[in-house]
Amino acid sequence: MLYIILSAVLHEIAHIYAMKKCGLDIKEIALKPFGINIKIKDGKYIAYKKEILIALAGPIANLLAAIIVFLFNIFIYRFEAGVFIVVVNLLLAFLNLLPIDRLDGGEILKNLLLMKFEPYTVDKICYVTSIIFLTPILFFGGILLYKTGYNFSLLIIGFYLLISIAIKSKD
C-alpha cells in the first residue's frame, strides 16, 4: 500500500510543480478520493496548452518513476518490490491518460478540443468519450471481482468516475 500511495503522491506533486512552472499561484489543495483538487488564486485564466502540460505532468512523472526503478532494478540492485513499483506507476500513468472526464486524459482531450470547437460541443464529445471508455473499465472490473472474489478496486474507480460524470453533466 505504501508504494501505491507514494506513486500517487509523486503524480500529484508533478501536477503542482507544473502549475508553479506555468506561473500559477495555488490558493488551496483539497484531497479527494481519487486525487486532489487544486484551486488557483484569483481564478486566473490558464491557456489550453498550459492546461495540457499540467495534465501531462502527473502521468509523465509516473512513467519516469517506472523507468528509473526498472533500470535500477536491472543494473544496480534487484529488490522484490521493484517490479511492483514499476507496475503500479505504469498502471497509474495509463489509467490517468484515458480520455475520461475527471482524469488527466479527459483534461487533455477537453483542452485539445477547446482549441477547435465551442464549449457545448466539447462537453458532449467528452461525455460520450468518457462513457465509451468507462464501459470496459466497469466490465473488466466486474470480471476481476468475479475471478478473484475480493478485488473490487477497478469497479470502485469506474463507478466513482461514472457518478462524478453524471453529477457534472447535470450542472
Side-chain angles (χ1 to χ4, degrees):
M1 192 66 163
L2 175 65
Y3 297 123
I4 295 170
I5 292 169
L6 288 175
S7 296
V9 168
L10 171 69
H11 181 97
E12 301 304 342
I13 287 173
H15 287 307
I16 293 168
Y17 177 77
M19 293 174 94
K20 290 287 193 182
K21 289 304 257 182
C22 287
L24 301 173
D25 291 322
I26 297 170
K27 176 182 177 182
E28 178 183 324
I29 299 174
L31 186 61
K32 296 281 188 166
F34 294 98
I36 60 175
N37 187 22
I38 302 171
K39 292 185 181 177
I40 305 302
K41 286 184 182 174
D42 303 324
K44 189 175 182 182
Y45 169 78
I46 306 170
Y48 298 135
K49 289 180 182 178
K50 284 185 178 182
E51 286 273 11
I52 292 168
L53 289 173
I54 291 166
L56 280 170
I60 288 171
N62 290 122
L63 289 173
L64 287 174
I67 291 167
I68 290 167
V69 172
F70 176 77
L71 293 174
F72 183 86
N73 210 29
I74 296 284
F75 296 114
I76 297 173
Y77 179 75
R78 182 174 299 278
F79 60 107
E80 284 185 42
V83 174
F84 181 75
I85 294 168
V86 168
V87 170
V88 164
N89 277 282
L90 289 175
L91 287 174
L92 195 55
F94 173 75
L95 180 66
N96 273 283
L97 285 173
L98 291 174
I100 298 172
D101 198 7
R102 304 285 192 216
L103 296 178
D104 298 329
E107 283 297 311
I108 294 165
L109 176 64
K110 179 179 78 174
N111 284 285
L112 285 171
L113 291 171
L114 283 169
M115 291 181 199
K116 300 284 182 191
F117 301 106
E118 294 296 318
Y120 176 80
T121 305
V122 170
D123 285 344
K124 294 300 174 193
I125 293 170
C126 289
Y127 178 80
V128 170
T129 304
S130 294
I131 298 302
I132 289 169
F133 278 84
L134 270 174
T135 302
I137 288 175
L138 291 167
F139 177 76
F140 288 116
I143 290 174
L144 182 64
L145 177 59
Y146 176 75
K147 293 280 188 185
T148 64
Y150 63 89
N151 191 340
F152 51 88
S153 56
L154 198 55
L155 273 177
I156 288 175
I157 292 168
F159 279 120
Y160 171 80
L161 291 169
L162 185 64
I163 291 166
S164 68
I165 290 167
I167 290 170
K168 182 182 174 192
S169 70
K170 288 185 178 188
D171 294 341

